[in-house]
Amino acid sequence: MLNTAADRVALASRRILVAEPSTAESTKKLQRSAAANVVCGFSLAGICLLAFSLRLFSVIKYESVIHEFDPYFNYRVTQFLTKEGFYNLWNWFDDRTWYPLGRVIGGTVYPGLIWTAGIMWNVLHFFNIPIHVQEVCVFTAPLFSAFCALTTYFLAKEVRNQGAGLFAALFAASVPSYISRSVAGSYDNEGVAIFALVLVFFLYVKTINTGSLAWATANALSYFYMVASWGGYSFIINLLPIHCLACIFLGRMNSRLYVAYAPFIILGTIEAASIPVVGFNAVLMSEHFGSFLAFGVLHAAMGMQYIKHILPAKTYNAAKALALSAGVAFMAVVAVLMVGYVMASPTFGWTGRSLSLLDPTYASKYIPIIASVSEHQPPAWNSYFTDVHILVLLAPLGLIACFRPMTDASLFLILYGVTAVYFSGVMVRLMLVLAPATCCLGGIAADQILNTFCKSIRPEEGSGGWVGLIKTWMDGEESAAQSDSVSVDSRPSSSTSSAPSGKRQKSGKNKYKEAATKEAEASPFNAFNLFGGTKDKLPRDVGIIGALFFFGMLVFYVFHCCWVSAEMYSAPSIVLQSRSPQGGVHVFDDFREAYGWLRHNTDEEAKVASWWDYGYQTTAMANRSVIVDNNTWNNTHIATVGRAMASPEHQAWQIYRDLDVKYVLVVFGGFVGYPSDDINKFLWMVRIGGGVFPDIKEPDYLGERGYTIDDKAGKAMLDCIMYKMSYYRFAEAAQMATGRYGFDRVRNTNIGVTDISLKYFEEVYTTEHWMVRIFEVKDQPSRDVQADTSKKAKKTLKRVSPSGKNRTPPVW
């Protein structure tokens, strides 16, 4: 007994001696990890602050105002929600738009953005913070850009590691393509939808990595928010089936994929159908059929896999042949039914915008109203450098890095990047969808590149990458060396280590990292040492120079993003400014001036006709009924307005009278050089009008040199009401201002007709810089046109040059 007790005491003492260094090592690792997490948390907080601050230039340079055109409709609906409540929003019939048809707001709007701003406004007022709803709308997009940066961090971290996540968050916080639709005042759907898009992708990847049904349910809920926020949800409902099918055919099918995809399709479809603007389109439109196909293929593959495990080989082969025969027959029947259903639709069950993505020439051939929108045009090559900058170089490297190791998560990111590149090349608006993909791929590439340099600088501390190097440096070199010596001396032998601990070391992330290391060492890319190969190290000097150059590129990227945000994407379309040769700043506030005049000087029931671009602004700021607006849901109604603009004066007067129009608003830039005016948009009015009314033919409006406004212009062009309203009494004003009679600064030529008179319309207001002109539709034609014209001319010339001296107006 004594010998046995002594042996036990000796054995316990030896265990204590072995355990003490191991405990010290684990404590040291926990301290390092905690410190690194604190640093990571502060870094993310700084990145979120950067994301929010970069988008405030519009408020600093101009004022807190809603931007562009569509945001004014969202702002108007949000105002209604805060006054009338969420329930009344569903039943709101807006009689101020699309006169005389009107619009049911609850069934035709994506309510996610409006819900978000309304909830934030109610929460603030619940805590007695009296903030105006406009300020909530102005700062919603910058706030959600910070949330998007956080979500991008989690997505890249889930695909690769923490370092890649931090770089991805930094890129997402400042990438210009996302800034373009998320500056303060850009109260549009994309302001919250890009956050929802990345959130859906993160939760999907998280579910694939964990196989958790809880994460799958959260993913379905985030998809509900995405569907409620933006019509771009169709990108998600097509990308996820592509990933699912790719996993099946690449032999990567498992239970985690099933948990990630199957509940998403069932719950997501039900949730999407509950949004009124989507409704049964969630199951009837061709855009969603791919998700159902992948759903069926996944269940068939899982069923075959289950049968294979429970049946003998011969029986399985017979069952497989029977199942394949039955499956082919069933799919043939389904295919015939689907083809019959799809062929019954003139667009084959697709929306016009979706067909434009699949066939870039479709809109220009069949739907000119879609082709007329500038953001639906393909981007120029230089816009990629402007909008994603150094990510143009880093994203392809990150795409290659995702192949080693190839996981379900990295495969998803590869497919996301490839499809986003294609769609961004078709439509410049979809640069927004490309931005998170390039940020994640660029973050992975940046992490790998910096890891390579850090291993060259401190090879003994670079095994954990640059994040591990920071952990070591935070702890100090001396303590790190002691920790390393203790860990080496106290490492237990294979005979004393227990099996359970060995299993724990190979579970979870350690197992993933072990597989990643083996695959990385066997990769042919190590010959170039591009992605942190462990075979060869760069010289120390090369590593230092490379790291400095890399950080210099990051600084250059941040400066570029700041400049783009301040100079390119912060100017609201409602307020413009230009710089004089002397460096002074001149502000053009003609739009609000015109809308203010309409609001205060016209009858509340007056109807205003303009091109559809200005419908939302007119309704929101002038509070007057419009004939068409930016919703563009009724092509015939828009074509009628286009026909009126392209018609001679008497015919246009008859059309406007039939529409009960009292005022006509045109935007003209020839006086100050504003290029986005109605004359430059006029051919689209002709094309859209001619698509419904055959008497409108585009060749009639073209002259000897094509589309011009000089004396060589087409006769129909010189006679149309758009030409007459734009250049009515303009020749004398241009003479007084610039010394050149009838000179158009935008078209850089003299106008073809200078002596323009109006018989059925009367000019009632022209803004300070002639950018907006408002004409009243007369009840009866004028009897003395010449006398009326002479009287108006004197009044206009006095407005142009109040001092009686010639002065050159500022150029936009």
Side-chain angles (χ1 to χ4, degrees):
M1 289 293 294
L2 185 60
N3 293 335
T4 303
D7 291 339
R8 290 177 179 174
V9 171
L11 180 60
S13 63
R14 284 196 299 270
R15 287 180 177 175
I16 292 173
L17 291 175
V18 172
E20 284 180 353
S22 179
T23 303
E25 179 186 0
S26 62
T27 302
K28 187 67 68 177
K29 287 182 178 180
L30 288 175
Q31 291 176 351
R32 292 182 188 174
S33 179
N37 288 335
V38 171
V39 173
C40 179
F42 277 106
S43 300
L44 288 175
I47 289 172
C48 292
L49 182 62
L50 173 67
F52 186 83
S53 302
L54 271 178
R55 290 157 172 83
L56 300 183
F57 285 108
S58 59
V59 175
I60 296 172
K61 294 180 64 176
Y62 297 90
E63 58 182 292
S64 180
V65 63
I66 303 295
H67 290 201
E68 301 299 335
F69 301 102
D70 290 3
Y72 275 92
F73 170 76
N74 297 326
Y75 171 56
R76 182 165 170 262
V77 176
T78 307
Q79 283 183 308
F80 182 90
L81 184 146
T82 56
K83 294 177 181 177
E84 303 295 334
F86 286 85
Y87 182 78
N88 290 329
L89 176 64
W90 295 117
N91 303 316
W92 180 25
F93 178 80
D94 185 9
D95 59 354
R96 291 287 187 183
T97 61
W98 292 93
Y99 179 84
L101 304 176
R103 178 181 177 185
V104 179
I105 299 298
T108 59
V109 67
Y110 288 97
L113 174 69
I114 298 154
W115 286 347
T116 303
I119 291 173
M120 289 194 297
W121 184 86
N122 280 288
V123 169
L124 291 171
H125 279 254
F126 176 80
F127 290 104
N128 295 320
I129 302 177
I131 187 172
H132 194 273
V133 64
Q134 176 177 319
E135 305 308 317
V136 176
C137 298
V138 166
F139 293 102
T140 295
L143 177 64
F144 273 79
S145 67
F147 296 158
C148 183
L150 280 177
T151 313
T152 307
Y153 162 78
F154 288 114
L155 174 59
K157 180 183 177 184
E158 200 64 32
V159 173
R160 186 50 58 96
N161 54 39
Q162 189 179 52
L166 287 174
F167 276 119
L170 174 63
F171 293 144
S174 51
V175 63
S177 61
Y178 183 31
I179 290 178
S180 66
R181 302 305 285 262
S182 60
V183 295
S186 183
Y187 186 57
D188 211 347
N189 292 334
E190 293 89 337
V192 300
I194 299 302
F195 157 74
L197 177 84
V198 180
L199 180 63
V200 170
F201 290 160
F202 158 65
L203 293 174
Y204 178 74
V205 171
K206 185 71 175 181
T207 308
I208 286 178
N209 288 342
T210 61
S212 171
L213 189 59
W215 286 113
T217 305
N219 188 30
L221 293 175
S222 64
Y223 177 70
F224 172 73
Y225 182 65
M226 175 63 191
V227 175
S229 299
W230 191 33
Y233 77 90
S234 58
F235 179 76
I236 297 176
I237 206 60
N238 285 279
L239 177 61
L240 267 58
I242 292 175
H243 176 258
C244 178
L245 294 174
C247 289
I248 293 173
F249 291 111
L250 292 176
R252 311 186 68 93
M253 185 183 63
N254 50 52
S255 60
R256 292 179 284 106
L257 176 66
Y258 183 85
V259 172
Y261 186 76
F264 172 83
I265 294 300
I266 296 174
L267 297 177
T269 302
I270 295 174
E271 292 168 349
S274 67
I275 303 297
V277 70
V278 178
F280 286 104
N281 288 335
V283 293
L284 297 178
M285 294 296 291
S286 299
E287 298 169 353
H288 300 79
F289 288 170
S291 62
F292 303 138
L293 173 65
F295 185 79
V297 172
L298 177 62
H299 280 81
M302 293 292 290
M304 295 300 298
Q305 190 180 68
Y306 174 74
I307 294 174
K308 184 177 181 179
H309 284 85
I310 63 175
L311 294 179
K314 293 183 179 181
T315 309
Y316 167 72
N317 292 330
K320 180 179 179 181
L322 179 62
L324 288 177
S325 301
V328 170
F330 177 76
M331 291 300 298
V333 173
V334 173
V336 170
L337 294 176
M338 289 181 60
V339 169
Y341 171 77
V342 169
M343 293 300 292
S345 171
T347 60
F348 305 108
W350 295 83
T351 62
R353 287 183 175 86
S354 298
L355 285 176
S356 299
L357 294 176
L358 300 176
D359 179 9
T361 64
Y362 179 83
S364 59
K365 293 178 180 177
Y366 304 107
I367 314 179
I369 193 170
I370 294 179
S372 68
V373 182
S374 59
E375 63 183 15
H376 293 166
Q377 304 300 319
W381 282 108
N382 58 358
S383 64
Y384 280 93
F385 179 78
T386 301
D387 285 342
V388 294
H389 203 246
I390 63 171
L391 297 179
V392 171
L393 304 176
L394 293 178
L397 299 179
L399 193 70
I400 297 173
C402 285
F403 283 94
R404 44 182 304 276
M406 172 68 78
T407 63
D408 295 341
S410 61
L411 175 61
F412 173 79
L413 191 56
I414 291 170
L415 294 173
Y416 176 25
V418 172
T419 53
V421 167
Y422 167 75
F423 289 124
S424 68
V426 175
M427 191 178 292
V428 67
R429 182 183 186 183
L430 294 183
M431 291 286 287
L432 280 168
V433 178
L434 176 66
T438 56
C439 291
C440 291
L441 293 172
I444 291 173
D447 175 70
Q448 296 285 61
I449 292 172
L450 192 57
N451 281 347
T452 301
F453 293 144
C454 288
K455 291 175 184 178
S456 302
I457 297 172
R458 299 294 291 271
E460 71 279 2
E461 297 171 359
S463 59
W466 66 275
V467 176
L469 186 62
I470 292 175
K471 292 179 182 179
T472 305
W473 284 350
M474 288 176 58
D475 192 51
E477 296 183 4
E478 183 176 350
S479 60
Q482 293 175 1
S483 175
D484 291 340
S485 62
V486 169
S487 63
V488 171
D489 296 338
S490 61
R491 186 180 296 116
S493 62
S494 58
S495 59
T496 59
S497 61
S498 60
S501 62
K503 290 182 180 179
R504 284 194 300 270
Q505 290 178 355
K506 291 186 179 181
S507 63
K509 293 184 177 180
N510 291 331
K511 188 175 182 180
Y512 169 84
K513 291 181 178 179
E514 182 179 346
T517 303
K518 290 181 179 179
E519 187 169 351
E521 291 178 354
S523 173
F525 293 110
N526 286 336
F528 302 97
N529 202 29
L530 289 174
F531 299 112
T534 57
K535 294 290 185 181
D536 301 315
K537 301 294 188 301
L538 293 172
R540 177 183 174 87
D541 295 340
V542 175
I544 294 175
I545 295 173
L548 293 176
F549 178 76
F550 179 74
F551 281 112
M553 288 182 62
L554 292 181
V555 173
F556 179 47
Y557 169 77
V558 173
F559 272 97
H560 170 79
C561 296
C562 292
W563 180 85
V564 169
S565 176
E567 300 298 331
M568 293 182 61
Y569 294 141
S570 292
S573 64
I574 197 73
V575 181
L576 308 173
Q577 74 173 16
S578 66
R579 292 188 178 275
S580 65
Q582 294 76 25
V585 176
H586 192 88
V587 176
F588 300 83
D589 205 2
D590 289 48
F591 286 100
R592 292 194 296 184
E593 179 186 343
Y595 297 139
W597 186 90
L598 283 172
R599 189 181 189 97
H600 296 291
N601 295 275
T602 61
D603 186 81
E604 290 186 1
E605 300 301 323
K607 314 303 184 294
V608 180
S610 66
W611 192 232
W612 62 264
D613 291 21
Y614 319 107
Y616 280 163
Q617 289 183 349
T618 304
T619 308
M621 303 188 71
N623 194 28
R624 295 296 178 265
S625 299
V626 296
I627 307 302
V628 293
D629 62 24
N630 309 59
N631 192 33
T632 65
W633 67 275
N634 191 318
N635 187 61
T636 303
H637 221 48
I638 295 176
T640 303
V641 175
R643 183 190 189 192
M645 295 292 190
S647 299
E649 183 181 359
H650 176 66
Q651 186 177 350
W653 177 74
Q654 290 179 326
I655 295 173
Y656 286 134
R657 291 282 294 172
D658 292 340
L659 292 174
D660 200 18
V661 171
K662 187 62 176 176
Y663 298 95
V664 180
L665 182 149
V666 296
V667 175
F668 174 65
F671 190 72
V672 294
Y674 176 63
S676 299
D677 64 352
D678 285 341
I679 292 293
N680 277 355
K681 299 175 182 177
F682 180 68
L683 275 187
W684 288 113
M685 303 181 194
V686 173
R687 291 165 185 167
I688 295 171
V692 177
F693 302 100
D695 58 309
I696 304 295
K697 298 179 176 61
E698 182 177 345
D700 296 341
Y701 298 86
L702 304 179
E704 298 176 0
R705 296 193 299 268
Y707 180 63
T708 61
I709 50 93
D710 56 14
D711 55 354
K712 301 296 183 181
K715 185 179 184 305
M717 177 69 189
L718 299 176
D719 290 341
C720 71
I721 192 62
M722 172 58 70
Y723 188 93
K724 291 185 175 182
M725 285 185 174
S726 296
Y727 293 112
Y728 178 64
R729 296 185 293 102
F730 169 73
E732 294 82 1
Q735 174 72 33
M736 294 288 292
T738 65
R740 303 181 65 177
Y741 190 74
F743 182 75
D744 187 319
R745 287 186 172 184
V746 174
R747 269 62 61 174
N748 199 29
T749 185
N750 292 323
I751 61 177
V753 179
T754 57
D755 186 17
I756 298 175
S757 60
L758 294 176
K759 183 178 181 181
Y760 297 91
F761 297 87
E762 179 183 2
E763 180 191 18
V764 292
Y765 192 76
T766 294
T767 57
E768 178 184 0
H769 303 103
W770 282 56
M771 290 176 63
V772 182
R773 311 194 69 182
I774 302 173
F775 294 83
E776 183 179 1
V777 181
K778 293 183 178 181
D779 296 332
Q780 297 292 333
S782 299
R783 295 182 179 180
D784 189 357
V785 178
Q786 287 297 120
D788 183 70
T789 303
S790 176
K791 183 178 179 181
K792 296 293 181 182
K794 293 180 180 179
K795 182 178 179 181
T796 303
L797 294 180
K798 184 177 180 181
R799 180 187 299 147
V800 173
S801 184
S803 61
K805 300 179 181 179
N806 293 348
R807 61 184 181 91
T808 302
V811 180
W812 181 81

